[in-house]
Amino acid sequence: NTVNAANALLILENKSGSDGSGVNNYVGIYFRVANGANSDSQLQYVRTGDNAGAFQFKARNASSSYPNLMTIKSDGKVGIGTTSPLTSLDIVDSSNGSLTEPLMIRNGGTGVGTNVGMVFFNGNGINSGAGALAKIKAIDVGNYDADLVFETALKSGFSTGGTSERMRIDSS
């Protein structure tokens, strides 16, 4: 846990800028694999204001540019496909006309009854002993079919984590 520069094992520093000025100053690490048709990437920290900045993860693409793939701002917001995340996790997919989904949640298991989904908590959620507020699950029902199930917390079971199915969209 590094709380100040004195505890750091490695310091990368760009002394450009001062309070009230010097935004868009960078410091970072450059990675390169191969010689010629290189595979390159960068991990940079950019100053965005007084006592504020963002980590930026970049990788060379086919056109030899280095688009920003992911940003972690000093306020904790994470952006994938955006340098200006608006929420805790902001995913932006700008591939026009493509059939890709910007978020995929997977379960490596297979077979009938296997499910994958999301659980929504309030406050500290799982760490506070409180139960889930809601769940959305996709359940494998066999023959390459799946049901989509929506659950919400039971009034009497919230503190124990109990949820109940409220709606199911079946594969038929």
Side-chain angles (χ1 to χ4, degrees):
N1 183 10
T2 302
V3 294
N4 60 47
N7 294 332
L9 298 176
L10 172 67
I11 297 174
L12 302 176
E13 189 171 26
N14 177 348
K15 293 192 174 194
S16 299
S18 59
D19 286 347
S21 68
V23 298
N24 296 322
N25 291 320
Y26 292 82
V27 65
I29 302 172
Y30 189 91
F31 302 89
R32 172 171 281 164
V33 178
N35 186 13
N38 301 320
S39 298
D40 303 349
S41 64
Q42 303 168 20
L43 169 57
Q44 300 176 334
Y45 186 79
V46 58
R47 181 184 166 140
T48 57
D50 290 350
N51 303 309
F55 282 102
Q56 295 181 339
F57 297 81
K58 300 177 178 198
R60 183 178 179 181
N61 62 20
S63 65
S64 294
S65 64
Y66 294 84
N68 189 51
L69 304 175
M70 183 171 76
T71 297
I72 303 174
K73 292 176 57 179
S74 57
D75 62 4
K77 293 178 181 169
V78 176
I80 299 175
T82 178
T83 57
S84 303
L86 302 175
T87 61
S88 296
L89 176 60
D90 192 351
I91 301 172
V92 176
D93 182 359
S94 58
S95 52
N96 296 331
S98 173
L99 295 177
T100 61
E101 291 80 17
L103 176 64
M104 181 182 292
I105 301 171
R106 300 176 5 158
N107 179 343
T110 59
V112 175
T114 302
N115 69 70
V116 63
M118 297 186 303
V119 180
F120 301 89
F121 287 95
N122 192 4
N124 291 330
I126 200 165
N127 297 323
S128 68
L133 293 174
K135 297 178 182 179
I136 301 173
K137 301 188 288 189
I139 302 173
D140 184 340
V141 294
N143 298 321
Y144 302 102
D145 292 331
D147 291 354
L148 187 60
V149 176
F150 296 83
E151 299 179 3
T152 59
L154 301 168
K155 257 188 179 178
S156 60
F158 176 73
S159 62
T160 61
T163 59
S164 178
E165 183 175 319
R166 305 300 182 169
M167 181 172 71
R168 178 180 291 248
I169 301 172
D170 69 26
S171 58
S172 61

